[in-house]
Amino acid sequence: MQAQQLSGLAKFQPGVSEIVDAGSGVQIDLGLSQAVPWRVRVLDDPARLVVDFREVDWTGLADMPQASDAVVAMRAGVFRPGWSRLVLELAAPMQVTSAEMRTKGAVGVHLRLEPITEAAFAALAALPEPAEWTLPQAAVLQPAPKKPGKLVVVLDPGHGGIDPGAERDGQNEKTLVLKFARELKEALLRDGGFDVVMTRDEDVFVPLETRISIAHQAGASVFLSLHADAIAEGDAVGATIYSLAADASDEASAALAERHDRDDLLAGVDLSQQDDLVAEVLMDMARTDTSPRTERLGMALETAIKAQGVKMHRHPRQQASFSVLKSADIPSILLELGFLSSERDLKRLNDPKWRETMAAAVVSGLKAWAKQDAGLQALPLK
């Protein structure tokens, strides 16, 4: 399909859209306000249909009639600048037997899906992305030369675009943490001792691996991922500091790490590839130096947050296998600002004064850690 440059943003039309059973298969109609360039493919583990558009406002997706058990979940949003993505998780493997953009009458995409064997579906899902459709590489950053005493901090607002993160009372995690990240960036820059890079500064989807690549290209001294998740079980309240570990501190931590990776997977990212043995050994060697530095970073942040009187979780420092923390050579922390499953935490996240206090605590913690780390790095090896 020829890429067509359109000046307007197409809007989803739920009133002329539906997902219904049709014979042995499924019929999907997606009404749009205007025709746009698009493409469709399937991905595996879990089975899902992915439809990319340039570009669609998906407001009203939850109102679309859904009368088929073949589709078990839907999500949509910005996937990259200028492009949006709709992901339909399928109950069983299916193939696209018909796909067209209708431009007469009710404008929109018409899809027909039919059952297929798991082997055949896996083969379709394994087809390589066309070069122009592959996931975007991390932006080539040209940071200014490091100034003496400057700490390069990469702030990573979690989720974004197609991935809203946790949601409650009409609010979502991706928006709340981006707001805080912007305010924290300003606080760090006002201090004068930091250079700051954001993995995203707008509502776009950034794959986990790209977030780490951005940190490396920026020459990061610290990688700080910001979240505000929700935990269904238990009474999770207060800020929590996570560092990387193969074994999670508890079941809740393990569930959070699994959900973060699953969110990336559902957005169309393949996390199945494992490091080969040589790479794994090299990363373990690098982490021998990085891990204690990360632990000291977590301790410094905990001390500073408590000193500001900010509410912390009853277990303020925990560990889990978050993929976004797996950079072997950069001290990396995931900071849960609070939990959207807690009404009190949600109220705090919406309080500008609370965010200002938390930002000041993070700045203080980073400064304390940087001073300690520099002193330890300067010690002669024995």
Side-chain angles (χ1 to χ4, degrees):
M1 178 182 296
Q2 294 295 317
Q4 181 182 0
Q5 296 301 318
L6 299 173
S7 59
L9 177 71
K11 296 185 181 298
F12 177 62
Q13 307 290 308
V16 291
S17 303
E18 63 178 357
I19 300 176
V20 296
D21 291 327
S24 61
V26 178
Q27 179 176 307
I28 302 172
D29 287 298
L30 304 170
L32 302 174
S33 61
Q34 66 180 44
V36 293
W38 69 294
R39 70 100 189 232
V40 61
R41 68 166 301 175
V42 294
L43 293 173
D44 209 353
D45 296 324
R48 59 206 189 277
L49 181 78
V50 176
V51 195
D52 289 331
F53 298 86
R54 185 179 181 129
E55 83 187 272
V56 173
D57 177 353
W58 287 103
T59 301
L61 181 63
D63 299 325
M64 178 174 65
Q66 214 286 61
S68 174
D69 293 335
V71 176
V72 297
M74 294 187 296
R75 67 195 313 176
V78 178
F79 181 63
R80 64 184 73 170
W83 294 91
S84 59
R85 170 166 286 188
L86 172 68
V87 179
L88 304 179
E89 188 174 352
L90 305 175
M94 305 191 85
Q95 66 176 335
V96 179
T97 57
S98 175
E100 62 175 318
M101 173 70 75
R102 294 176 172 173
T103 57
K104 295 182 179 180
V107 175
V109 169
H110 174 80
L111 300 167
R112 175 79 182 223
L113 279 61
E114 294 289 345
I116 192 174
T117 66
E118 290 188 5
F121 186 86
L124 289 174
L127 292 174
E129 294 265 13
E132 67 273 20
W133 284 100
T134 53
L135 283 171
Q137 299 297 313
V140 178
L141 303 176
Q142 299 294 336
K146 291 184 181 180
K147 300 175 184 177
K150 289 273 189 176
L151 196 73
V152 179
V153 178
V154 171
L155 299 180
D156 174 46
H159 309 281
I162 193 173
D163 177 13
E167 297 177 285
R168 178 175 180 168
D169 298 340
Q171 299 189 71
N172 57 51
E173 181 180 2
K174 67 175 182 178
T175 304
L176 291 167
V177 298
L178 179 58
K179 179 188 288 286
F180 178 79
R182 289 169 173 164
E183 294 172 353
L184 176 56
K185 176 182 178 180
E186 290 303 313
L188 289 165
L189 294 177
R190 283 197 305 270
D191 178 84
F194 302 90
D195 287 328
V196 183
V197 173
M198 303 264 284
T199 58
R200 68 178 183 95
D201 196 19
E202 55 185 333
D203 184 19
V204 296
F205 172 78
V206 182
L208 295 176
E209 60 184 15
T210 305
R211 295 171 189 259
I212 296 174
S213 296
I214 289 171
H216 280 106
Q217 290 178 352
S221 310
V222 170
F223 180 87
L224 185 60
S225 192
L226 302 168
H227 287 263
D229 275 292
I231 295 181
E233 299 178 2
D235 183 24
V237 179
T240 314
I241 297 165
Y242 286 93
S243 56
L244 177 68
D247 297 320
S249 305
D250 53 33
E251 292 184 6
S253 299
L256 282 179
E258 181 180 353
R259 198 187 83 189
H260 278 220
D261 282 2
R262 180 174 174 80
D263 283 351
D264 221 50
L265 182 62
L266 286 175
V269 181
D270 181 7
L271 299 176
S272 62
Q273 292 186 352
Q274 300 297 320
D275 304 311
D276 62 32
L277 181 60
V278 174
E280 189 172 347
V281 170
L282 290 173
M283 287 194 294
D284 284 344
M285 291 173 64
R287 289 187 182 118
T288 300
D289 173 66
T290 307
S291 293
R293 297 178 66 210
T294 300
E295 282 301 300
R296 291 192 293 270
L297 173 59
M299 292 175 64
L301 288 172
E302 178 189 358
T303 299
I305 292 172
K306 287 182 174 179
Q308 288 283 355
V310 173
K311 170 68 177 177
M312 294 200 76
H313 190 276
R314 62 182 179 275
H315 302 298
R317 282 194 297 119
Q318 302 188 44
Q319 295 182 317
S321 186
F322 288 101
S323 289
V324 77
L325 298 182
K326 290 183 178 178
S327 176
D329 55 343
I330 302 172
S332 302
I333 289 291
L334 187 147
L335 174 59
E336 291 282 359
L337 299 167
F339 294 90
L340 264 63
S341 45
S342 163
E343 184 177 350
R344 287 170 289 173
D345 278 355
L346 179 58
K347 183 177 180 180
R348 281 188 276 262
L349 286 162
N350 281 293
D351 181 358
K353 185 63 178 178
W354 182 91
R355 295 197 305 271
E356 181 182 357
T357 301
M358 173 61 94
V362 173
V363 172
S364 177
L366 288 172
K367 291 176 69 174
W369 173 81
K371 182 177 181 180
Q372 179 192 39
D373 191 62
L376 290 173
Q377 296 293 325
L379 292 175
L381 296 176
K382 295 183 178 180

